[in-house]
Amino acid sequence: MFLNILVVLTIIYLLYKFSIRNFDYWEKRGVLFPKPLPFIGNVFDLLTGRIGIGHLLAEFYNNYKTPYFGIFVFNKPYLVLRDLELIKNVLVKDFNYFPDHTVFCDEKLDSLASKVLFIAKSPEWKFLRSKMSQAFSAGKIKNMFPLVSTVAKEMNLYVTKNQNSNFIEAKELCAKYATEVVATCAFGINSNCFENEDAEFRVIGRKLFSAEVTNTIRQVAYFFAHGLVKLFKLPFFDPDCVRFIREMIHSTIENREKTGFKRNDVIDIIIQIRNKSSPQDAYKFDGDRLVAQAGQFYTAGFETVSTTMSFALYEICLQQDIQDRIRSEIKDSLIKYGELTYEGIQEMKYLDMVVCETLRKYPVLAFLDRLCVQDYKIPDSGLVIEKGTPVYIPMFGLHYDPQYFPDPDKFEPQRFSDENRNKLPSYAYIPFGEGPRICLGERLGLVVSKLGLCYLLSQFEVVRCTETPVPIIFETKGIILASTVGLPLKFRKSPVITT
Ligand code: HEM
């Protein structure tokens, strides 16, 4: 009996010692860090669900005034950057030392995910990025504009039908719109999201980004606990969703090739890229590599756009003067062009300020991450970031830092007037990331979000209702920023132009 207890205590002691073996890492290098706990390091609050990763990093950011500080995720040392010049070096100037995200990437465990741009590692990432950049050119996006407008009109019909209910959940409304946009622009499919609450496209979308335990475990493991991914052979995406996306893309491509039908959409662009491939290319652009490029429009496209649009609607409903000003800008554009056009949307300065402020207060991804792939000496400092060290940039911390954004909790589009924008230090505002790995869909995301907002506000006033959460309580699980109860709002018919 005594021997058994001794064995158990010895094992616990050894595990404890093993879990804290790295905890002098930052101290030895003269880097400040919050006191870590055995086994979990500095992510206790994340694991208990008290706070999400973006807010946790922001709390640390606020506790230090140094250019960088260390943290421990479980027992692994991570470096977190605060200084804007250093952030620029990592994202842009010395990108070659930091070319990859930290997300686990292994072709054998998840063939499709490993080829999605956000996850792919260099040199394959470089090959895919150069191929896919052409799909996001201004010309291609302009070609898609009529397709997006058709979906926006459907959204307004849906709101008209449902305006008498107690409220419409804005995140779900915008997710229907963004899913339908992706379905039509990327795959030439009518996903029926507005007619059918259980449309397959939307069900898959909900499943991909739900805060279900299995999803949360997968995401946390891929970002922070690569050992768990290997141990349990976890796929990044839900296998049912992957099956659906793979089958849909293959059958659409097959159908296009059989019929010769062309639609100027993403599938057409991807077929063109494949057909133009050369045998000298370092990688073959086919199979899962091709499916992943089309699929990422779906995975990267709809949650980002719907999050941005719905938080903008939320803020607009709380500040009538801001809403009035956008509606007046929409009215001017409608008078000038007769309808909402690509050019008209680009000219709307105040709308742009509102969307920028939305992305400051509600950055869809609350932090950026890079993996150091060769030892890097920080200029004018004794610290060498060792190969293999994950580096985090706490977007929330920067976007709520009062030295860059005074009274940061206030929603204030004026921060992004031409005059104020010029005064804003570079790299203090980075909702789309920066450098060679900047969001590939920035232009598309902005056009789709702005057009959706314009269509809604051209016909409806957005009003707070008793269910609208003030203040918002943020979901603590998952990587994408979300409100725990969604964003219930009321839409009241009020066209900006009455005929
Ligand atoms: C308002 C909407 C959006 C926001 C706020 C957003 C934000 C971001 C951010 C922060 C990153 C990481 C950048 C970095 O690490 O430096 C990213 C990457 C990416 N985004 Fe977006 N995004 C949006 C819309 C879209 C859309 C509509 C698409 C495509 C349909 C898209 C495709 C991508 C891709 C492919 C990457 C990975 C790029 C790479 O690693 O080379 N995004 N996005």
Side-chain angles (χ1 to χ4, degrees), residues 8 34 40 44 63 87 172 236 290 295 350 372 378 389 409 431 442:
V8 170
I40 41 184
F44 177 76
N63 290 341
I87 291 175
E172 177 59 27
F236 184 77
L290 182 151
Y350 191 68
C372 177
I378 297 184
T389 309
D409 289 322
E442 173 176 1

Side-chain angles (χ1 to χ4, degrees), residues 101 117 125 129 136 300 304 308 370 431-434 437 439 441:
H101 286 286
L117 266 180
W125 164 76
R129 175 103 189 185
F136 292 88
T304 47
T308 307
R370 293 290 187 270
F432 292 97
E434 259 303 345
R437 240 176 148 143
C439 171

Side-chain angles (χ1 to χ4, degrees), residues 198-436:
D198 295 320
E200 203 173 9
F201 241 83
R202 185 66 201 111
V203 171
I204 294 290
R206 269 187 217 121
K207 212 167 173 182
L208 270 176
F209 290 99
S210 81
E212 273 172 23
V213 183
T214 43
N215 250 358
T216 308
I217 292 175
R218 262 202 298 267
Q219 288 181 3
V220 168
Y222 265 81
F223 271 91
F224 312 114
H226 298 176
L228 286 184
V229 178
K230 286 188 236 170
L231 187 65
F232 296 108
K233 301 203 182 328
L234 296 174
F236 184 77
F237 293 120
D238 179 290
D240 289 340
C241 300
V242 168
R243 209 169 305 122
F244 171 81
I245 292 173
R246 210 182 250 132
E247 279 169 16
M248 175 193 57
I249 293 170
H250 277 310
S251 71
T252 313
I253 291 181
E254 229 171 76
N255 188 276
R256 294 278 167 98
E257 289 187 323
K258 244 192 239 154
T259 58
F261 178 66
K262 288 217 175 350
R263 216 172 153 267
N264 258 336
D265 59 10
V266 174
I267 291 285
D268 280 356
I269 298 169
I270 279 177
I271 294 174
Q272 273 168 29
I273 297 176
R274 188 198 59 189
N275 293 347
K276 276 194 213 147
S277 295
S278 127
Q280 272 78 48
D281 280 348
Y283 300 90
K284 267 189 147 178
F285 194 79
D286 63 4
D288 268 356
R289 204 165 276 125
L290 182 151
V291 171
Q293 303 323 303
Q296 78 194 343
F297 272 79
Y298 187 48
T299 50
F302 82 86
E303 190 72 6
T304 47
V305 165
S306 55
T307 300
T308 307
M309 277 177 71
S310 54
F311 279 124
L313 289 168
Y314 170 78
E315 288 289 349
I316 287 167
C317 96
L318 297 180
Q319 293 197 56
Q320 190 61 41
D321 53 330
I322 295 179
Q323 183 163 178
D324 290 345
R325 214 171 141 185
I326 305 183
R327 283 166 56 84
S328 134
E329 202 176 50
I330 294 171
K331 186 175 178 183
D332 291 345
S333 186
L334 285 173
I335 291 169
K336 182 169 172 190
Y337 290 102
E339 59 178 340
L340 290 165
T341 62
Y342 182 80
E343 290 71 21
I345 299 282
Q346 303 299 333
E347 285 168 10
M348 291 187 198
K349 278 215 158 158
Y350 191 68
L351 174 70
D352 185 59
M353 287 157 60
V354 169
V355 172
C356 287
E357 176 66 346
T358 304
L359 287 166
R360 177 194 70 83
K361 234 188 131 180
Y362 307 100
V364 177
L365 279 181
F367 67 101
L368 299 178
D369 66 310
R370 293 290 187 270
L371 185 68
C372 177
V373 298
Q374 47 177 316
D375 287 0
Y376 175 77
K377 181 172 175 317
I378 297 184
D380 307 322
S381 134
L383 183 68
V384 172
I385 307 179
E386 285 186 312
K387 177 180 172 181
T389 309
V391 176
Y392 275 3
I393 296 157
M395 215 187 293
F396 243 116
L398 293 165
H399 286 194
Y400 280 75
D401 187 333
Q403 67 170 312
Y404 308 128
F405 302 101
D407 199 359
D409 289 322
K410 185 160 190 250
F411 187 82
E412 180 50 274
Q414 214 50 39
R415 299 179 204 273
F416 292 94
S417 66
D418 285 347
E419 193 194 345
N420 291 335
R421 219 187 163 132
N422 287 336
K423 289 188 218 147
L424 195 63
S426 307
Y427 301 93
Y429 174 70
I430 42 174
F432 292 97
E434 259 303 345

